[in-house]
């Protein structure tokens, strides 16, 4: 991809990473499990099944089966498409974090405009106007649908919007 | 029965069926909204209506919402309701191949046939089937849940172990909250909102929609739209003809759906994956499933809609709702001063049969509306990713918030979305995780109830004592063995 800087460096088997992730999740569920057979039978049993799956994947990885991926994540290697994902995910986190305190309108409109502009290949006047108009239309339509057709109160925030 | 049909064909009733269908399409197509929420919102409007019109509208909304959940599932891989998870597996693949309109038409036609068969089952065999459904105890529900889990074999992707691990992870996530016995708060970490458990719809939005948005963002330089769209003048006729060339699939799936719908607590979320799994198992080429075959959409959608008809049987015959939306409809019956149960058939047969006919008629109206809208809806995939990705994020957040007006549900959606995106980079498929979230609570509730019963008698008797349990165990073993056998065969063919 144009403009990407990607020198893979040392690699690790993807099955080993998957095994570590599964084992970590299972460990969390086991560590915080309580006592009482009927209450905890399901999560504890499932956690052990997850550990068994992790062990299987680990063995596969150690035997060299499965794809090898670079140890350094693509984001740190400056891979543009992965940086885009990271930025968009950060935009989503910010949107969720600010929705309650600032309210539906004050957060949704800027999120839609910024999201659209960020993903646009060019940033000329027409792109900006289209992004703003599309964001306004989406907000108005869904505000009416949720608020007046489906009676769902959307967050208003300190400003009342 | 004929009087019931005539009562439904009154212009006033037909008008309310059309209103119900349009409301259901809106509710089903919006992420975060379900048929249950739609029927609940419609309930206040039914107070002032005559019973025939009120129940026709509620039934129409339920039926059409079951179809409409396939629209976001097929177009952007976001199941509108839990029962559309299996639809998304092939529907979205069809969209990626430029066949979005064909996927929507297949969903609409399957909804028609499923609703028709579910309605006919209601009309002609409600009493005897409700008696059979009463034979299902907690152990039988446990085994039917375990049987449904075997669908993982069909949707696991390249690695069966990762598919199973994904399903287990989904079930683990679903254990968050107060336990089935009500005695322990599990993994709530002092957050009061988590005591009520995770919201399944918010979790599904997170598992399917958010990772899809991130994948769109990642690939937008190469693919500026979700998919291409091929116009095809005869797509409706050709799709219907293709489905009817293999009538066994749609018939089998509808019958499975109608029967599972009768079982209280099971319903469409269980019926769709079971029917999908059976369609894959009986197919001559199982490898087509999950890669954009019409048969996958047909199996899931016909079963889901037939289950809607089936779910109304225990409600009308026994006064026991077969699903959450029918619980709302049951409430409407009570508010109208009617007493659901065996006496309703003798005291008010026109109303009961009219209700069943309105389900069938709603299926036809849904098909007509769905087919007419299919071309416009299918073209939505041509909206550039730079607009679509922020809009799906917006709808995911607002939809998750709308369920209970809780930011916790939105955070859950976001957290699960990020986790599933990372897992997808390691070769995990979101399908099994979503299936685990849906089936986990059903299996656990049945397990705990069966264990409580087994304190009075032997555990072996409870879990393995009834012929229904033994039949379901045999089906599960056969299904699992088939999955392993067919995967080995495929691997042998490839390598």
């Amino acid at each position: 991809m144009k403009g990407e800087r990607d020198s893979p460096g040392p690699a690790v088997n993807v099955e080993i990473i998957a095994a570590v992730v599964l084992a970590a999740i299972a460990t969390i569920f086991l560590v915080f499990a309580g006592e009482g057979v009927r209450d905890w039978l399901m999560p504890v049993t499932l956690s052990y099944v997850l550990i068994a799956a992790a062990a299987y994947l680990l063995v596969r990885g150690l035997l060299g089966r499965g794809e090898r991926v670079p140890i350094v994540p693509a984001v740190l290697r400056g891979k543009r498409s992965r940086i885009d994902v990271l930025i968009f995910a950060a935009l989503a986190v910010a949107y969720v974090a600010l929705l309650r305190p600032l309210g539906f309108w004050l957060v949704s409109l800027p999120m839609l405009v910024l999201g659209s502009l960020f993903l646009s290949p060019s940033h000329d006047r027409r792109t900006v106007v289209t992004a703003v108009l599309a964001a306004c239309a989406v907000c108005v339509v869904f505000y009416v649908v949720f608020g007046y057709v489906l009676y769902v109160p959307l967050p208003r925030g300190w400003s009342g919007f | 029965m004929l009087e019931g049909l005539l009562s439904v064909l009154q212009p006033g009733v037909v008008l309310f069926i059309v209103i119900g269908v349009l409301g259901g399409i809106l509710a089903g197509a919006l992420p975060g909204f379900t048929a249950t929420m739609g029927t609940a919102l419609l309930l206040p409007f039914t107070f002032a209506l005559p019973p025939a019109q009120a129940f026709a509208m509620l039934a129409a909304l339920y039926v059409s919402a079951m179809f409409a959940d396939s629209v976001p599932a097929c177009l952007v891989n976001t199941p509108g309701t839990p029962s559309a998870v299996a639809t998304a597996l092939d529907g979205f693949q069809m969209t990626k191949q430029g066949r979005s309109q064909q996927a929507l038409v297949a969903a609409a036609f399957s909804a028609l046939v499923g609703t028709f068969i579910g309605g006919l089952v209601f009309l002609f065999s409600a009493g005897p089937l409700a008696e059979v459904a009463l034979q299902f105890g907690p152990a039988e529900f446990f085994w039917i849940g375990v049987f449904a889990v075997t669908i993982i074999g069909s949707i696991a992707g390249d690695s069966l172990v990762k598919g199973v691990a994904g399903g287990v992870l989904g079930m683990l996530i679903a254990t968050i909250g107060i336990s089935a016995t009500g005695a322990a708060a599990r993994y709530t970490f002092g957050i009061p909102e988590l005591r009520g458990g995770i919201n399944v719809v918010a979790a599904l939005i997170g598992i399917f929609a958010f990772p899809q948005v991130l994948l769109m963002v990642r690939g937008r330089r190469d693919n500026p739209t979700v998919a291409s769209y091929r116009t095809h003048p005869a797509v409706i006729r050709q799709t219907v003809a293709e489905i009817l060339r293999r009538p066994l699939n749609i018939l089998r799936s509808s019958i499975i759906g109608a029967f599972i719908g009768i079982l209280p607590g099971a319903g469409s979320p269980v019926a769709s994956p079971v029917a999908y799994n059976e369609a894959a198992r009986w197919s001559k080429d199982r490898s087509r499933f999950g890669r954009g075959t019409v048969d996958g959409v047909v199996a899931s959608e016909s079963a889901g809609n037939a289950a809607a008809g089936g779910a109304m049987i225990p409600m009308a015959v026994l006064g026991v709702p077969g699903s959450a939306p029918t619980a709302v409809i049951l409430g409407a019956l009570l508010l109208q001063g009617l007493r659901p149960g065996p006496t309703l058939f003798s005291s008010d047969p026109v109303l009961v049969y009219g209700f069943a006919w309105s389900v069938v008629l709603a299926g036809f109206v849904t098909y007509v509306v769905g087919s007419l809208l299919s071309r416009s809806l299918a073209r939505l995939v041509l909206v550039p990713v730079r607009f679509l990705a922020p809009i799906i994020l917006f709808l995911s957040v607002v939809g998750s918030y709308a369920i209970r007006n809780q930011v916790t549900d939105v955070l859950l959606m976001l957290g699960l979305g990020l986790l599933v995106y990372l897992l997808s980079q390691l070769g995990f498929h979101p399908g099994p995780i979503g299936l685990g979230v849906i089936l986990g609570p059903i299996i656990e509730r049945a397990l705990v109830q069966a264990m409580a019963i087994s304190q009075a008698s032997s555990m072996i008797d409870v879990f393995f004592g009834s012929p229904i349990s033994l039949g379901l165990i045999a089906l599960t073993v056969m299904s699992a063995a088939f999955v392993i056998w067919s995967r080995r065969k495929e691997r042998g063919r490839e390598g």
Side-chain angles (χ1 to χ4, degrees), chain B residues 470-484:
Chain B
L470 291 175
L472 287 168
I473 294 166
L475 276 174
T476 308
V477 171
M478 274 162 53
S479 185
F482 177 79
V483 165
I484 294 165

Side-chain angles (χ1 to χ4, degrees), chain B residues 116-138:
Chain B
F116 187 70
I117 290 176
L120 288 186
V121 169
F122 186 177
L123 278 167
F124 293 104
S125 52
L129 281 176
E131 290 292 323
V132 175
L134 281 179
Q135 304 297 314
F136 275 69

Side-chain angles (χ1 to χ4, degrees), chain A residues 34-126:
Chain A
E35 288 173 4
V37 178
R38 264 192 252 160
D39 291 318
W40 296 94
L41 176 67
M42 185 92 166
V44 169
T45 309
L46 292 172
S47 300
Y48 282 119
V49 175
L50 219 51
I51 285 176
Y56 175 84
L57 292 173
L58 185 67
V59 171
R60 263 181 67 87
L62 292 174
L63 289 174
R65 302 211 180 131
E67 198 186 335
R68 286 176 72 80
V69 292
I71 291 176
V72 182
V75 169
L76 298 180
R77 282 182 280 122
K79 201 163 183 176
R80 186 64 196 273
S81 57
R82 307 301 172 97
I83 293 172
D84 289 351
V85 170
L86 193 69
I87 293 172
F88 198 83
L91 181 73
V93 172
Y95 179 44
V96 172
L98 296 173
L99 186 66
R100 198 72 186 258
L102 294 185
F104 172 80
W105 287 99
L106 286 184
V107 184
S108 298
L109 263 176
M111 185 284 287
L112 285 165
V113 174
L114 285 175
S116 178
L117 288 177
F118 169 65
L119 299 175
S120 295
S122 64
H123 296 102
D124 53 18
R125 200 176 148 197
R126 196 179 158 202

Side-chain angles (χ1 to χ4, degrees), chain B residues 48-138:
Chain B
L49 293 175
Q53 295 177 358
F55 297 124
M57 187 162 69
L58 286 169
L61 188 140
Y62 182 18
V63 165
S64 59
M66 295 310 301
F67 152 71
D69 62 7
S70 66
V71 175
C74 290
L75 298 185
V76 284
N77 200 22
T78 304
T81 62
S83 55
V85 168
T87 309
L89 299 171
D90 281 288
F92 185 59
Q93 291 302 322
M94 289 175 77
T95 293
K96 287 211 293 197
Q97 293 159 13
R99 295 154 61 209
S100 50
Q101 192 181 359
Q102 194 189 7
L104 294 178
V105 172
F109 184 70
S110 309
L112 165 67
V113 176
T115 307
F116 187 70
I117 290 176
L120 288 186
V121 169
F122 186 177
L123 278 167
F124 293 104
S125 52
L129 281 176
E131 290 292 323
V132 175
L134 281 179
Q135 304 297 314
F136 275 69

Side-chain angles (χ1 to χ4, degrees), chain B residues 416-495:
Chain B
L416 276 179
L418 290 170
L419 176 69
V420 172
Y421 175 76
L422 292 174
L423 286 174
S424 71
Q425 303 304 298
L426 299 173
F428 290 85
H429 196 285
I433 303 174
L435 192 75
V437 168
I438 296 167
L439 295 177
I442 296 171
I443 294 172
E444 188 181 16
R445 197 168 45 241
L447 177 68
V448 168
Q449 286 172 352
M451 283 173 71
I453 294 169
S454 70
Q455 283 182 329
S457 58
S458 120
M459 198 176 267
I460 291 174
D461 278 352
V462 171
F463 281 96
F464 305 96
S466 82
I468 299 173
S469 287
L470 291 175
L472 287 168
I473 294 166
L475 276 174
T476 308
V477 171
M478 274 162 53
S479 185
F482 177 79
V483 165
I484 294 165
W485 173 77
S486 57
R487 277 185 170 265
R488 284 201 173 163
K489 199 173 142 193
E490 260 172 51
R491 212 176 295 158
R493 210 184 294 156
E494 283 164 11

Side-chain angles (χ1 to χ4, degrees), chain B residues 245-286:
Chain B
R245 267 202 294 275
R246 291 184 291 280
L248 203 61
N249 181 27
I250 198 163
L251 284 175
R252 181 184 48 234
S253 304
S254 300
I255 291 166
I256 289 172
F259 186 72
I260 292 180
I262 297 169
L263 307 174
S268 310
V270 178
S272 291
V274 168
Y276 183 93
N277 198 26
E278 288 307 295
R281 203 153 66 89
W282 289 93
S283 170
K284 282 180 187 161
D285 185 7
R286 198 189 71 89

Side-chain angles (χ1 to χ4, degrees), chain B residues 234-388:
Chain B
V235 67
I236 296 177
R237 187 171 49 79
Q238 285 183 356
T239 305
V240 171
E242 188 181 342
I243 293 169
L244 292 178
R245 267 202 294 275
R246 291 184 291 280
L248 203 61
N249 181 27
I250 198 163
L251 284 175
R252 181 184 48 234
S253 304
S254 300
I255 291 166
I256 289 172
F259 186 72
I260 292 180
I262 297 169
L263 307 174
S268 310
V270 178
S272 291
V274 168
Y276 183 93
N277 198 26
E278 288 307 295
R281 203 153 66 89
W282 289 93
S283 170
K284 282 180 187 161
D285 185 7
R286 198 189 71 89
S287 64
R288 293 182 302 123
F289 282 79
R291 292 179 186 173
T293 173
V294 165
D295 291 345
V297 176
V298 168
S300 170
E301 280 302 303
S302 55
N305 279 270
M312 293 183 196
I313 293 174
M315 180 203 71
V317 180
L318 307 168
V320 178
S323 64
T326 53
V328 180
I329 298 173
L330 183 71
L333 272 168
L334 295 169
L335 286 167
Q336 293 271 359
L338 299 162
R339 279 190 76 170
T343 53
L344 193 64
F345 275 86
S346 50
S347 66
D348 217 335
V350 177
L351 183 73
V352 178
Y353 287 119
F355 183 58
W357 280 115
S358 57
V359 170
V360 175
L361 190 60
F364 279 100
V365 177
T366 302
Y367 172 65
V368 172
V369 175
S371 297
L372 288 175
L373 291 177
S374 65
R375 189 171 172 168
S376 314
L377 289 171
R379 293 178 67 86
L380 284 176
V381 297
L382 295 177
V383 175
V385 165
R386 69 176 190 273
F387 293 122
L388 203 57

